[in-house]
Amino acid sequence: AERRSQIWNKNDILIHPWKYFDLNVAEKIQYSPQNNAVEQKYGELFVIHKPLTWFDYGLGYRVSYSNVEIDWVQENRAMLVAEFKQQYHNFWFKFSNRFEYRDYKVDLDHFRYKQQFTVTFPSLASWGMQFYTSEESFTKLNGVGTHLARLYGGISGVHSKHFQLKLYYAFEKYKLIENWNSRDIMGLNLSFIL
């Protein structure tokens, strides 16, 4: 069978209301060219505390809708995040952790853990062009185990004081029942910093 694909678009606004605190509001759409339809959409809010240059943590909440065969399924997700980062010879290394409680209207609720490791390469231009690579995996804590993993390769095309644009490709492996399937993802992220 032909490998499935999706096109992702995420738009977010980052606000710095107080010293050491950030608010991040985002919305994301995941579109399927094969189905010519939006398969998932969500909105989320994070409050992040940055006590140290190499560490931050925070709380988030997401409302998500997935387009399944019959109807749209809603998920409410509470999240606790922690991130460690370090610069070494103009390379940035970031290790992110996220604990989630996923609350569904029609499915079994569960806790899940996400980990992500990202390497950002030195800037290639004064206006902020940088390559980055990342891996992430998701583990359901209800006995199912790891059920989703992605490898990313991307470019930060524009990085200014108030705007950032990222383009990326991701290869995804996801588990349905006992079978692992693959998906290709092309994505665009637009960030506005106030």
Side-chain angles (χ1 to χ4, degrees):
E2 182 183 351
R3 196 156 76 193
R4 298 182 64 80
S5 64
Q6 283 187 338
I7 299 170
W8 291 3
N9 172 236
K10 182 176 181 180
N11 302 301
D12 68 303
I13 298 173
L14 180 67
I15 304 167
H16 187 69
W18 310 285
K19 189 176 182 180
Y20 305 122
F21 281 92
D22 286 341
L23 291 176
N24 189 286
V25 180
E27 61 91 20
K28 186 173 184 180
I29 294 173
Q30 300 177 0
Y31 172 81
S32 167
Q34 287 90 358
N35 297 333
N36 192 25
V38 172
E39 290 190 334
Q40 189 177 66
K41 55 187 176 180
Y42 69 73
E44 67 183 13
L45 170 68
F46 278 95
V47 179
I48 304 294
H49 181 219
K50 299 185 170 187
L52 303 166
T53 57
W54 55 270
F55 173 69
D56 54 64
Y57 66 95
L59 297 172
Y61 191 79
R62 177 186 295 177
V63 178
S64 173
Y65 296 91
S66 297
N67 190 0
V68 295
E69 294 177 8
I70 303 169
D71 200 359
W72 287 92
V73 175
Q74 181 179 342
E75 174 198 347
N76 298 302
R77 185 185 304 184
M79 298 172 281
L80 173 65
V81 297
E83 186 175 273
F84 303 87
K85 53 194 168 206
Q86 181 65 48
Q87 184 177 11
Y88 182 75
H89 292 295
N90 295 322
F91 288 83
W92 276 99
F93 300 90
K94 183 170 66 173
F95 181 62
S96 304
N97 301 271
R98 187 170 81 203
F99 286 96
E100 310 171 336
Y101 180 69
R102 306 177 76 196
D103 176 24
Y104 289 95
K105 300 292 183 186
V106 295
D107 202 1
L108 294 175
D109 301 346
H110 61 271
F111 287 94
R112 186 170 75 167
Y113 169 68
K114 171 196 170 188
Q115 69 80 33
Q116 183 176 31
F117 183 71
T118 304
V119 179
T120 303
F121 295 86
S123 294
L124 299 174
S126 60
W127 42 270
M129 189 171 81
Q130 291 179 284
F131 290 104
Y132 68 93
T133 185
S134 181
E135 64 79 25
E136 67 182 359
S137 63
F138 297 79
T139 303
K140 290 183 179 179
L141 303 178
N142 61 355
V144 172
T146 301
H147 69 104
L148 178 62
R150 298 185 189 110
L151 290 173
Y152 293 84
I155 186 168
S156 176
V158 177
H159 193 138
S160 70
K161 184 177 178 182
H162 297 289
F163 178 73
Q164 185 177 48
L165 179 146
K166 287 186 176 181
L167 298 166
Y168 61 88
Y169 164 80
F171 175 69
E172 179 181 83
K173 296 291 284 185
Y174 60 99
K175 190 175 184 180
L176 288 177
I177 308 174
E178 294 299 321
N179 298 318
W180 284 92
N181 299 291
S182 301
R183 180 165 24 223
D184 297 300
I185 298 163
M186 297 298 296
L188 168 69
N189 290 358
L190 299 175
S191 298
F192 301 91
I193 303 152
L194 305 179

